Amino acid sequence: MSLNRSPLVRAVNVHKHFGHLEVLKGINLDVDAGQVVCLLGPSGGGKSTFLRCLNHLEKIDRGSIWIDDKPVGYRLEHNKFHEIREREVAVQRAQIGMVFQRFNLFSNRTALENVIEGPIQVLKLPAKEAHERGVQLLERVGMMNWADRYPAQLSGGQQQRVAIARSLAMNPKLILFDEPTSALDPELVGEVLGVMRGLAADGMTMIVVTHEVGFAREVADKAIFMFDGVIVEEGAPSDVFSNPTHERTKQFLSKVL
């Protein structure tokens, strides 16, 4: 990163509680534009919660999150953070794609209709332009032949590829992936990871919660191991996977590798 350029994503001392349970205990993370960052670790370590904080689906209790030099969910005035209205949050969120574990497609809309819904309703694109963009994106993820199918007529891998196209349709600065392959049958995982590899090659900034160590080793610029609400290890995947320093990372990798 150049000296005069800020990271695209910056998390500073992020804390999050659910009642008396402290789920995030001071997360600090920088992600440069074009980087792929993979978050790994056992379930319950705070990975998915942190991802949801990045686009303000969860409000943080302390610290700050910045995307493109703007605080997420807040505005900064006189060195104080003030919560912004939901309408303003929605504008911010439109620039942050999110691909969920369970696809979250509209069941009563076709694959193409799912992809063009956001550009028409949120970005106010003309229907013809949105349709053209939707066709291009379905082709990009290998789903154009299923454009008129409803989610129930698609496999899990196909639904997830449509969900990725739907995120791309909003022309986001960043895409968050929350365990995008964990709900898929093993033989379908490869087709989704293949699309994600293509996005990485095209320079899309991605933060991925995953247990797919092979994907992280191959594609990620930075691998992060989270445990019990803190980042215990981070670095190049070759270092984290081949020479982990933290005992908890070693235990986790011994089970998944």
Side-chain angles (χ1 to χ4, degrees):
M1 184 181 69
S2 62
L3 292 176
N4 60 352
R5 188 172 181 183
S6 300
L8 179 66
V9 181
R10 169 162 282 173
V12 182
N13 194 32
V14 171
H15 289 253
K16 174 65 182 176
H17 295 79
F18 292 108
H20 295 296
L21 179 64
E22 189 176 21
V23 179
L24 300 177
K25 304 174 182 178
I27 301 294
N28 294 285
L29 176 66
D30 287 352
V31 181
D32 292 337
Q35 278 194 321
V36 178
V37 174
C38 285
L39 305 181
L40 302 104
S43 298
K47 305 182 302 297
S48 293
T49 297
F50 177 60
L51 212 66
R52 291 173 64 84
C53 289
L54 288 173
N55 66 357
H56 209 59
L57 286 174
E58 297 287 354
K59 296 179 183 179
I60 64 176
D61 297 314
R62 186 149 49 100
S64 60
I65 293 172
W66 303 75
I67 293 183
D68 212 7
D69 286 329
K70 296 177 182 175
V72 174
Y74 300 86
R75 70 179 185 277
L76 186 62
E77 287 183 359
H78 308 300
N79 291 322
K80 285 191 175 182
F81 287 105
H82 302 271
E83 197 164 348
I84 60 178
R85 296 177 180 178
E86 185 58 36
R87 183 183 300 176
E88 296 171 273
V89 173
V91 172
Q92 287 187 333
R93 203 175 278 144
Q95 302 174 4
I96 307 168
M98 182 91 178
V99 177
F100 297 90
Q101 195 173 348
R102 291 284 175 182
F103 326 131
N104 285 20
L105 297 176
F106 294 115
S107 61
N108 61 340
R109 290 174 173 79
T110 65
L112 181 58
E113 288 168 346
N114 265 280
V115 173
I116 67 177
E117 175 85 5
I120 291 174
Q121 298 297 330
V122 180
L123 302 182
K124 306 303 181 186
L125 279 191
K128 183 174 184 293
E129 186 178 342
H131 185 276
E132 290 172 355
R133 181 184 292 189
V135 167
Q136 291 172 352
L137 290 171
L138 285 178
E139 288 176 345
R140 183 175 181 180
V141 302
M143 285 298 298
M144 193 54 218
N145 288 341
W146 294 269
D148 295 328
R149 302 275 182 91
Y150 290 90
Q153 299 171 302
L154 302 174
S155 71
Q158 290 171 328
Q159 289 185 64
Q160 196 62 296
R161 284 189 281 160
V162 173
I164 293 171
R166 179 182 60 183
S167 284
L168 291 170
M170 300 297 288
N171 197 26
K173 298 175 180 178
L174 160 75
I175 300 185
L176 311 174
F177 292 85
D178 189 8
E179 300 198 34
T181 60
S182 63
L184 303 179
D185 293 331
E187 66 269 22
L188 302 177
V189 169
E191 64 190 53
V192 174
L193 294 181
V195 171
M196 294 171 66
R197 286 188 184 94
L199 295 180
D202 290 343
M204 174 60 70
T205 310
M206 299 158 56
I207 302 177
V208 186
V209 173
T210 184
H211 291 295
E212 299 289 340
V213 173
F215 172 82
R217 192 197 296 268
E218 176 190 349
V219 177
D221 298 291
K222 185 186 295 184
I224 290 175
F225 183 79
M226 286 183 65
F227 175 69
D228 196 26
V230 298
I231 292 174
V232 299
E233 193 145 7
E234 68 176 290
S238 56
D239 295 331
V240 172
F241 297 137
S242 301
N243 191 29
T245 59
H246 196 280
E247 190 59 37
R248 198 62 188 80
T249 315
K250 294 176 183 177
Q251 292 174 9
F252 177 79
L253 291 175
S254 70
K255 295 175 182 176
V256 299
L257 288 178

